[in-house]
Amino acid sequence: MIFPRYVKMVEVGPRDGLQNESQMLPASVKIDFINRLSDTGLSVIEATSFVSPQKIPQLADQREVFAGIQQKPGVQYPVLVPNRRGLDNALAVGVNDIAVFTSPSQQFNQHNIQCSVEESLERIAQVMVVAEQHKLRVRGYISCVLGCPYEGDMAPEKVAVLAEHLLKLGCYEISLGDTIGVGTPLRVVALLRQVTAKIPLEKVAVHFHDTYGQALVNIYAALENGVAVIDSAVAGLGGCPYATGASGNVASEDVLYLLNGLGIETRVDFKKLLAVGRFISQVLGKKPQSKVNQACVLN
Amino acid sequence: MIFPRYVKMVEVGPRDGLQNESQMLPASVKIDFINRLSDTGLSVIEATSFVSPQKIPQLADQREVFAGIQQKPGVQYPVLVPNRRGLDNALAVGVNDIAVFTSPSQQFNQHNIQCSVEESLERIAQVMVVAEQHKLRVRGYISCVLGCPYEGDMAPEKVAVLAEHLLKLGCYEISLGDTIGVGTPLRVVALLRQVTAKIPLEKVAVHFHDTYGQALVNIYAALENGVAVIDSAVAGLGGCPYATGASGNVASEDVLYLLNGLGIETRVDFKKLLAVGRFISQVLGKKPQSKVNQACVLN
């Protein structure tokens, strides 16, 4: 087994997590949440999403939240941007980092952003032009890389082509999302082979949901194959509105426990991360969806 | 990655699972539970434990349960036996398979069975003599192989010596138990190296609890190292009375989902296993502690 020495943990709790929690939180709590995350040593914290407030009411306070956080030097606070309008709104509050997204599934794109794969790439291209003018860093998400709720299994080749396209458009990193959590390691490895045939391994991130309990084992398989960027959400926040089951993102605490056990450096403070997981869970009135946090809470 | 072609799943729900559930179930329900498990294709189902009813009241109906199940040809129904007295009681109801247990931790043994490691091996030796006379198959459990609630980390060498000892005493298989669920893959692999230096790989089983969410990733690491026998409990029943956190055994459904995804044969019917997990969870009045079962229930 050859693992990366250092793994960059990308915390997506405030965005991918909270957008899929049924409960609405006040902006002040979200700001507090992000500030606490900043204090854990995390270097990337996805802060919010500049999608339409009608579409995702949970993040309708996107401007207030982004403007309110205390940005820690050296920490990136990307925001999700679906189109040119979202970008303009994000620029108005002074973002430096954005994330764009698409999927190889025509039907998922239609349901999610009401356009085809090709149209979504055009939208992204428009965003990239302006992003470049403003010297923004742009991350690319690909959703449903291992399965789609409408189209079933995804061909790894399609994902690889999309990853290459996004990289050529100017993304610095491509996050491969198993949005409905159906993947198992053989498929993860097969996907990584195809993707890394098209783009450099160091540009690849993985983003797993734990719907079928396979997130950590998939992360492990990705680590064995050299992937060194992992998305997760503290307390396992969120879920996917299109996926059955109650599970959200893989819990950052459980990922960090694994990485620590493997001797992989992250620069994230374990105890502080647990404390943030407990904080946000308490606010939401539920127990952390992190086994590590559940086990440690009771100590 | 070279995985075993076939994995033997050892279902420990009726014993390790139910003995750690706070709720008492009537014998008739346990019998029904085991009979349903027999119908899934599982080849080994740990039925109950012949420990003192005072110690584990949940399994005080051990004789009634064992006598009541419909034994399916080709399926083993081992029972846990702590000492000669337990063995006599087990023989009285006609068992063919037993399991003995010890731990490399002096303090765990003292708390669990009120004797030293050496004394526990003497008790096991006494059991083995009678077991041989009755031509019983004997499985050996080693608890706390990666960590002990009293002594902390366990030296892999100690576990390996114990495994060799149990094999020499006549056990056909040694199940390595991470009783408190603290292990991560590097330690699992280090342990397996030490153990398989002393006993053949095909005699090794792994038994993980999911207290820190690492059970499946540890199983994956074990599979990569050729282990082909995996203990689990349907619906993730149980827990360990000495471990903090709410988590029990790794859920059989989640293990099977992984094995199916890896193309490993088990001869266990996925849908039937899910149905048994739902059955026992309903009886216990809780939702299955299996992500796969939670996800599929909602479909």
Side-chain angles (χ1 to χ4, degrees):
Chain A
M1 289 176 289
I2 301 165
F3 297 113
R5 283 189 176 187
Y6 171 80
V7 159
K8 180 173 77 175
M9 290 181 72
V10 175
E11 174 61 41
V12 300
R15 198 279 302 171
D16 197 20
L18 291 185
Q19 86 171 46
N20 291 307
E21 291 288 338
S22 50
Q23 204 182 324
M24 307 276 277
L25 297 180
S28 60
V29 170
K30 295 179 190 171
I31 291 166
D32 189 7
F33 177 37
I34 295 169
N35 289 343
R36 286 168 190 249
L37 286 168
S38 295
D39 192 42
T40 63
L42 283 161
S43 61
V44 188
I45 303 165
E46 204 174 55
T48 185
S49 172
F50 281 80
V51 290
S52 148
Q54 282 77 44
K55 243 197 128 190
I56 304 189
Q58 287 94 330
L59 303 183
D61 55 7
Q62 52 216 192
R63 298 178 209 207
E64 191 183 349
V65 168
F66 191 85
I69 57 177
Q70 267 193 298
Q71 293 198 28
K72 196 177 169 183
V75 178
Q76 288 174 251
Y77 299 90
V79 300
L80 206 67
V81 157
N83 50 33
R84 178 64 204 272
R85 189 169 161 192
L87 176 60
D88 290 341
N89 290 335
L91 284 168
V93 292
V95 305
N96 296 310
D97 285 271
I98 62 168
V100 296
F101 57 97
T102 186
S103 167
S105 162
Q106 293 288 0
Q107 287 189 54
F108 187 82
N109 275 343
Q110 285 295 350
H111 278 85
N112 198 34
I113 46 176
Q114 292 76 50
C115 70
S116 68
V117 177
E118 297 69 26
E119 286 163 341
S120 83
L121 291 174
E122 280 167 37
R123 287 185 196 174
I124 290 171
Q126 290 164 13
V127 164
M128 299 304 287
V129 171
V130 183
E132 201 178 347
Q133 289 164 1
H134 290 81
K135 297 200 165 52
L136 304 185
R137 282 170 294 204
V138 185
R139 189 173 205 238
Y141 277 109
I142 305 180
S143 301
C144 297
V145 295
L146 292 171
C148 164
Y150 313 107
E151 297 187 5
D153 287 355
M154 278 295 122
E157 300 78 12
K158 278 190 182 179
V159 179
V161 167
L162 215 48
E164 188 180 28
H165 191 101
L166 289 176
L167 207 70
K168 280 187 182 160
L169 283 177
C171 292
Y172 70 90
E173 188 171 280
I174 309 298
S175 177
L176 305 172
D178 183 11
T179 312
I180 57 169
V182 292
T184 46
L186 281 193
R187 296 188 52 215
V188 172
V189 173
L191 174 66
L192 288 173
R193 291 223 174 104
Q194 296 277 349
V195 170
T196 55
K198 297 274 190 191
I199 73 170
L201 177 61
E202 60 269 24
K203 304 283 187 187
V204 176
V206 288
H207 180 111
F208 290 110
H209 287 240
D210 204 32
T211 321
Y212 292 81
Q214 311 292 311
L216 218 52
V217 73
N218 288 336
I219 285 173
Y220 185 74
L223 289 169
E224 286 185 318
N225 284 273
V227 172
V229 187
I230 299 173
D231 297 3
S232 62
V234 73
L237 291 177
C240 170
Y242 307 111
T244 53
S247 287
N249 288 94
V250 65
S252 306
E253 301 95 310
D254 298 1
V255 173
L256 184 55
Y257 187 94
L258 173 65
L259 294 173
N260 286 344
L262 297 176
I264 296 172
E265 182 55 59
T266 61
R267 296 181 206 133
V268 180
D269 187 288
F270 184 65
K271 284 189 178 173
K272 285 183 176 175
L273 191 69
L274 288 185
V276 184
R278 284 172 216 178
F279 162 77
I280 195 65
S281 299
Q282 208 164 13
V283 166
L284 290 165
K286 60 184 209 177
K287 66 177 183 181
Q289 297 303 299
S290 151
K291 293 258 183 178
V292 167
N293 217 335
Q294 283 177 34
C296 294
V297 159
L298 299 172
N299 273 330
Chain B
M1 290 178 291
I2 301 164
F3 298 112
R5 282 191 178 185
Y6 171 79
V7 159
K8 181 172 77 174
M9 290 182 73
V10 174
E11 173 61 41
V12 300
R15 197 278 303 171
D16 197 20
L18 291 185
Q19 86 171 45
N20 291 307
E21 292 288 337
S22 50
Q23 204 182 325
M24 307 276 279
L25 297 180
S28 60
V29 169
K30 294 178 188 171
I31 291 165
D32 189 6
F33 178 36
I34 295 168
N35 288 342
R36 286 169 191 248
L37 287 168
S38 295
D39 192 41
T40 63
L42 283 160
S43 61
V44 188
I45 303 165
E46 204 175 53
T48 186
S49 171
F50 281 79
V51 290
S52 148
Q54 281 77 43
K55 246 199 122 188
I56 303 186
Q58 287 95 330
L59 302 182
D61 54 6
Q62 53 215 192
R63 298 178 209 207
E64 191 183 348
V65 168
F66 191 85
I69 58 177
Q70 267 193 300
Q71 293 197 29
K72 196 176 168 184
V75 178
Q76 290 174 250
Y77 299 89
V79 300
L80 205 66
V81 157
N83 49 34
R84 179 63 204 272
R85 190 168 161 193
L87 176 60
D88 290 342
N89 291 336
L91 284 168
V93 291
V95 305
N96 295 310
D97 284 271
I98 63 168
V100 295
F101 57 98
T102 185
S103 168
S105 162
Q106 293 289 0
Q107 287 189 55
F108 186 81
N109 275 342
Q110 285 295 350
H111 278 85
N112 198 34
I113 47 176
Q114 292 76 52
C115 69
S116 68
V117 177
E118 297 70 25
E119 286 163 342
S120 83
L121 291 174
E122 281 167 35
R123 287 185 195 173
I124 290 171
Q126 289 165 14
V127 164
M128 299 304 288
V129 171
V130 183
E132 202 178 345
Q133 288 163 3
H134 290 81
K135 298 200 164 55
L136 304 186
R137 282 171 293 204
V138 185
R139 189 172 206 240
Y141 276 109
I142 305 180
S143 300
C144 296
V145 295
L146 292 171
C148 163
Y150 312 109
E151 298 187 6
D153 286 357
M154 279 294 123
E157 300 78 12
K158 279 191 181 179
V159 179
V161 167
L162 216 49
E164 188 180 28
H165 191 102
L166 290 175
L167 207 70
K168 280 186 181 160
L169 283 176
C171 291
Y172 70 90
E173 189 170 279
I174 310 297
S175 176
L176 305 172
D178 183 10
T179 312
I180 57 169
V182 291
T184 45
L186 281 194
R187 297 188 53 214
V188 172
V189 173
L191 175 66
L192 289 172
R193 290 222 174 106
Q194 295 278 349
V195 170
T196 54
K198 297 275 189 188
I199 73 170
L201 178 61
E202 60 268 25
K203 303 284 186 187
V204 177
V206 289
H207 180 110
F208 290 109
H209 285 242
D210 204 31
T211 321
Y212 292 81
Q214 311 292 312
L216 217 53
V217 73
N218 288 334
I219 285 171
Y220 184 73
L223 289 168
E224 286 186 317
N225 284 272
V227 172
V229 187
I230 298 173
D231 297 3
S232 63
V234 74
L237 292 177
C240 170
Y242 307 111
T244 52
S247 288
N249 289 94
V250 64
S252 307
E253 300 95 311
D254 298 2
V255 173
L256 184 56
Y257 187 94
L258 173 65
L259 295 172
N260 285 344
L262 298 175
I264 297 172
E265 181 56 60
T266 62
R267 294 180 209 132
V268 180
D269 186 288
F270 184 66
K271 284 190 178 173
K272 284 183 177 175
L273 192 67
L274 288 186
V276 183
R278 284 173 217 178
F279 162 77
I280 195 66
S281 299
Q282 208 164 12
V283 166
L284 289 165
K286 60 184 209 178
K287 66 177 183 182
Q289 296 302 300
S290 153
K291 294 259 183 178
V292 167
N293 216 335
Q294 283 177 34
C296 294
V297 159
L298 300 173
N299 272 333

